Amino acid sequence: MSSRLKDVAARAGVSIRTVSNVVSGSAPVAEETRARVQAVLDELGYRPNLAARNLRAGRTGLIGLAIPELHSPYFGELAGLIVAAAQQRSWTVVIDQTYGDAEAERRLLEGTGGRLVDGLITSPWALRAEEVTARARNVPVVLLGEQHAEGLADRVAVDSVLAADEATTHLLDTGRKRIAAIGVQPHLHNETARQRLEGYHRALRRAGLSPDPALERPVAALHREDGAEAMASLLERDARPDAVFAFSDELALGAMHVAHERGLHIPEDLAFVGFDGIEDARYAYPPLTTVVPDKKQIAERALQCLADRIYSPAAAVPPLDVVIPHQLDVRGSSRSSGGPR
């Protein structure tokens, strides 16, 4: 005989509503209580009839995740965390990629009108926030990343301006003065590059240095090959940089590869800091200093925002702007060892 909610509630010493909230993820539950209820659920082998529940509620049990690139280490790691967190809510995640293309982003958002998914988590690169929300009025949407939601949708992101400021300040504190920035992207609306450039400028000015446009390198994408190309162009200058702040770890890894090829010593000749905290950064030579967003918390908070909108669609709660913590993980690519050569 299968267990019922009331059996779980009695064994765990909580209300049936609390058990329901743990099973569905429809409302927050204290971690200690959630763990106790989950242990009883596992012990009794409780399996909710998700299909029947979703049918009664007019839901599918599916949520969409639209990311620019599946092959990106950052988005790949984040997608895995979102899937794992969604499984805790008995949700299935449908993943698609947009390649940062405006038309692809529009087509994907238009497809949500048929309510194949109960909600959508997306990281738009080409569309502005107002375009995203205007095209997804019939389904809850949570934005990831630096694209401002303008009070139109929930958004979950790190403070890229502050993080870039901290990364650049770290390089300045090691004695570097000619710090290059790789990752400028004036052709996109996603705000990532603009905010990281703003933080870089802020740190330089606070140190009494004027930003040098010749040290700011635009890129078509945030890939290794783009970082390599940008680094090669920087090394053609008579006054080469003594440090690089790259707007993604992939850019930094490509740039470090070129530095090695040119016979430069890292960090003595050229220090590097990246952004994203991808696993590959640990295994660079030397290991890459990087800004590490709390990706697990990004996943969990994005899903909580989505759950709040799905289960309480009539609640008059203003859209949230959730700022996720980050840390600068200082490694061998930027540690001071008597200053640059």
Side-chain angles (χ1 to χ4, degrees), residues 165-176:
D165 185 328
E166 292 172 352
T168 308
T169 298
H170 163 67
L171 290 170
L172 290 164
D173 288 345
T174 64
R176 274 74 183 190

Side-chain angles (χ1 to χ4, degrees), residues 251-276:
L251 288 173
L253 293 173
M256 288 173 66
H257 176 75
V258 170
H260 283 305
E261 285 189 328
R262 301 292 176 88
L264 298 174
H265 295 85
I266 302 172
E268 294 85 358
D269 296 324
L270 195 56
F272 287 87
V273 173
F275 200 117
D276 284 341

Side-chain angles (χ1 to χ4, degrees), residues 5-325:
L5 283 181
K6 69 176 185 178
D7 301 322
V8 177
R11 180 73 65 89
V14 298
S15 68
I16 293 176
R17 170 59 64 184
T18 297
V19 177
S20 178
N21 289 339
V22 171
V23 171
S24 66
S26 58
V29 177
E31 181 58 31
E32 181 181 346
T33 302
R34 189 202 66 75
R36 185 167 76 252
V37 172
Q38 188 61 56
V40 175
L41 288 168
D42 295 339
E43 177 189 346
L44 298 181
Y46 176 81
R47 295 293 181 269
N49 188 337
L50 298 176
R53 178 189 301 159
N54 288 327
L55 184 62
R56 288 193 300 270
R59 294 190 290 264
T60 66
L62 303 176
I63 63 167
L65 173 62
I67 55 179
E69 300 170 333
L70 284 170
H71 65 271
S72 159
Y74 173 78
F75 284 112
E77 291 174 16
L78 183 58
L81 290 167
I82 289 174
V83 169
Q87 288 173 344
Q88 296 299 312
R89 298 175 180 272
S90 300
W91 286 347
T92 298
V93 181
V94 179
I95 303 176
D96 206 342
Q97 62 182 345
T98 65
Y99 304 100
D101 176 74
E103 284 306 312
E105 291 179 356
R106 289 190 184 97
R107 284 195 301 271
L108 186 63
L109 288 166
E110 287 167 354
T112 65
R115 291 306 301 271
L116 297 178
V117 296
D118 297 327
L120 177 68
I121 298 173
T122 182
S123 179
W125 275 6
L127 297 183
R128 292 184 172 86
E130 58 268 24
E131 294 181 86
V132 174
T133 52
R135 291 176 178 274
R137 295 186 188 281
N138 298 323
V139 67
V141 174
V142 175
L143 302 182
L144 298 179
E146 290 79 0
Q147 176 69 280
H148 281 296
E150 305 296 342
L152 300 171
D154 294 323
R155 182 180 77 109
V156 179
V158 298
D159 186 338
S160 271
V161 176
L162 176 62
D165 185 328
E166 292 172 352
T168 308
T169 298
H170 163 67
L171 290 170
L172 290 164
D173 288 345
T174 64
R176 274 74 183 190
K177 299 295 183 184
R178 299 186 306 280
I179 302 172
I182 294 178
V184 180
Q185 291 185 295
H187 60 292
L188 293 180
H189 295 301
N190 70 349
E191 289 288 301
T192 299
R194 188 199 64 76
Q195 291 186 23
R196 293 176 190 180
L197 186 65
E198 180 183 341
Y200 161 78
H201 284 169
R202 190 168 77 181
L204 291 178
R205 292 191 176 104
R206 190 171 57 250
L209 300 173
S210 298
D212 181 356
L215 289 174
E216 299 169 8
R217 281 296 186 268
V219 295
L222 303 179
H223 301 153
R224 290 172 175 83
E225 58 266 31
D226 300 284
E229 183 179 343
M231 188 75 255
S233 69
L234 284 165
L235 293 179
E236 291 171 0
R237 302 179 72 245
D238 291 334
R240 76 173 189 227
D242 55 17
V244 171
F245 168 46
F247 293 2
S248 78
D249 286 346
E250 284 196 84
L251 288 173
L253 293 173
M256 288 173 66
H257 176 75
V258 170
H260 283 305
E261 285 189 328
R262 301 292 176 88
L264 298 174
H265 295 85
I266 302 172
E268 294 85 358
D269 296 324
L270 195 56
F272 287 87
V273 173
F275 200 117
D276 284 341
I278 65 174
E279 192 65 16
D280 286 355
R282 294 181 181 275
Y283 299 98
Y285 181 76
L288 175 64
T289 294
T290 178
V291 174
V292 184
D294 189 335
K295 290 189 282 290
K296 186 173 187 291
Q297 193 171 152
I298 291 174
E300 292 173 349
R301 292 300 301 273
L303 286 166
Q304 184 60 57
C305 286
L306 205 57
D308 291 343
R309 301 298 174 185
I310 291 172
Y311 293 112
S312 303
V317 179
L320 300 176
D321 199 23
V322 181
V323 179
I324 299 299

